[in-house]
Amino acid sequence: MRLASALAAPASPRRGWRTFVVLWATQSCSLVGTQVTFFALNIWLAQGLYPDPAQKKALALALSANGFAYALPTVTGALLGGVAADRHDRRRIMQLANFANAVVAFAIVALLASGRMTLPLLLPLTALYALCGAFHASSFDTSYAMLVPRERLPRANGMMQSVWALSALLAPGIAAGLVGVFGTHARAAGPGAPAALGRGAALAVVVDAATFVIAGLVLTRLTLPRVERAPQTESARPGLAADLREGWAFVFAHRPLLMLLGAFALANLVFASLGVFQPLLVKFRYATDAAAHGFSFEAALAWLATVGAAGGVAGGVIVSAWGGLERRRVYGVLAPMAISAAMLIGVGLARALFVAAGALAMAEGMIPFVNAHSLAIWQARTPLALQGRVFAVRRLIAQFTFPLGTLLAGSLAASLDPGVALAVLGVALALGAGGLALHPAMRHIEPESA
């Protein structure tokens, strides 16, 4: 191991917090655009490509396949992205990733608007989109730790969680509204529905492309500090495999952190299923209640997602204002995770749209607490010069179940009631988080100074 080769990180720059706020505000625009894109594509799949209720199995598999196409590169690309973040200019990586994602988004726009988009074309574009995002996330996650003083990291993490939730809050309404510009009068039964919904979805994805361009341009005006690695001769410079081994060595040398990652792996397996289950629940389980309240499919799906995201925004705002736990942060991870799991059981078993939305809001409201405290633990334990590699391994272990979750959800939903399947997954997560909270190793997960 060469863990000692990582140099100590420089002190936070004098205007580090100000730079972080600018970075946070501008890069967050692309998060909204990404959510708009995927919500619009789900509408297009459910109402444009597979509108017939008899196509439930095909729709479930299509949603699952698109989710898998996004999740797999996100997880595997994080390894390369983490090494790149430690080896190269993180600002430049984020900038290039933003512009590359803009190109992919414009390609999706062209295919949707022309009526030539098919599932086999969508899947590789989704995968490329996700790969660019993985490189961006690896550099973004490790950049603001260089800007923000350690004592303010929980607040910064809370702000990051808030904007994730805010993007989920804004995106459904934006996407449904833009899709509806062309699709309102071309319902699923109409012969012109697929083309109309395709043009509407294309209009929504244009928003995504624009946000990536804006985010990339703003980065040209920002300066981020660099973390230098220990001086090495050309012959002694470590290769990709050696860099990755350093990240793995650090994680496996800290058993409590590895155990915590197991809980996140289970949580991601469960939450990955929502991307598949949610449209199916709205289309089949909540359909009668939604129709009784005058909701179309698009409106009901947008409303459910918006209310859920509102809970996430509220949770993020509370964490940002509070700053999180200063000690025993692991309980700020596991207790909210168990609560979130219990609420997902309610989402799965509910028959009324409003009841499901309330439970989903509570479930998503816990996520900022979970992630902010987890990030604070990892940022406190990991040297800055190693964070790209370590966080890449962390992301791989925690998220490798995400693509598996999308496949599992598609398989379950094709043959079982998606609500019951979601409830069973929620029970498993609640038991896992609760059991880990009682494990003695969790008392030693944080550094003594934390």
Side-chain angles (χ1 to χ4, degrees), residues 93-393:
I93 292 172
M94 286 189 285
Q95 187 178 31
L96 291 175
N98 278 324
F99 289 141
N101 263 337
V103 172
V104 176
F106 279 123
I108 294 174
V109 168
L111 289 169
L112 286 171
S114 64
R116 297 179 180 177
M117 178 65 83
T118 62
L119 187 62
L121 287 175
L122 176 61
L123 297 183
L125 287 171
T126 296
L128 183 57
Y129 184 104
L131 183 62
C132 296
F135 274 80
H136 182 279
S138 295
S139 291
F140 194 14
D141 288 350
T142 54
S143 290
Y144 62 87
M146 299 187 297
L147 298 169
V148 178
R150 177 170 293 187
E151 65 273 11
R152 301 184 78 175
L153 279 174
R155 178 165 282 111
N157 291 331
M159 292 171 65
M160 290 303 306
Q161 295 307 308
S162 295
V163 80
W164 275 103
L166 183 62
S167 66
L169 176 69
L170 298 175
I174 295 173
L178 292 173
V179 171
V181 168
F182 291 103
T184 299
H185 302 295
R187 296 268 66 95
L197 287 166
R199 290 193 296 272
L203 184 59
V205 180
V206 166
V207 173
D208 189 16
T211 60
F212 280 124
V213 172
I214 293 170
L217 291 175
V218 170
L219 275 167
T220 64
R221 310 298 299 174
L222 295 180
T223 301
L224 303 182
R226 295 191 182 191
V227 177
E228 299 295 338
R229 299 176 67 165
Q232 294 164 326
T233 64
E234 188 67 29
S235 60
R237 184 171 297 168
L240 174 63
D243 272 338
L244 291 176
R245 281 197 299 270
E246 279 195 280
W248 285 102
F250 182 91
V251 172
F252 278 86
H254 296 79
R255 183 168 171 264
L257 291 176
L258 187 60
M259 294 174 65
L260 187 64
L261 286 179
F264 274 84
L266 179 58
N268 281 320
L269 178 74
V270 176
F271 274 91
S273 69
L274 276 179
V276 177
F277 289 150
Q278 209 164 299
L280 294 171
L281 288 170
V282 172
K283 192 175 181 71
F284 299 104
R285 191 177 184 88
Y286 312 145
T288 301
D289 185 66
H293 289 91
F295 285 109
S296 65
F297 170 81
E298 298 96 309
L301 184 60
W303 193 85
L304 179 65
T306 299
V307 173
V313 171
V317 169
I318 292 171
V319 172
S320 300
W322 169 35
L325 295 172
E326 295 183 1
R327 300 186 63 185
R328 303 293 186 186
R329 288 171 175 161
V330 68
Y331 299 114
V333 176
L334 295 173
M337 186 182 290
I339 295 171
S340 184
M343 293 299 103
L344 288 181
I345 298 171
V347 174
L349 298 181
R351 290 282 180 180
L353 181 64
F354 291 124
V355 174
L360 186 60
M362 286 292 293
E364 296 194 17
M366 294 296 103
I367 294 176
F369 292 88
V370 172
N371 288 338
H373 286 98
S374 175
L375 274 171
I377 292 170
W378 281 89
Q379 288 163 337
R381 290 300 299 258
T382 311
L384 281 177
L386 277 174
Q387 283 192 6
R389 285 156 284 173
V390 171
F391 281 24
V393 173

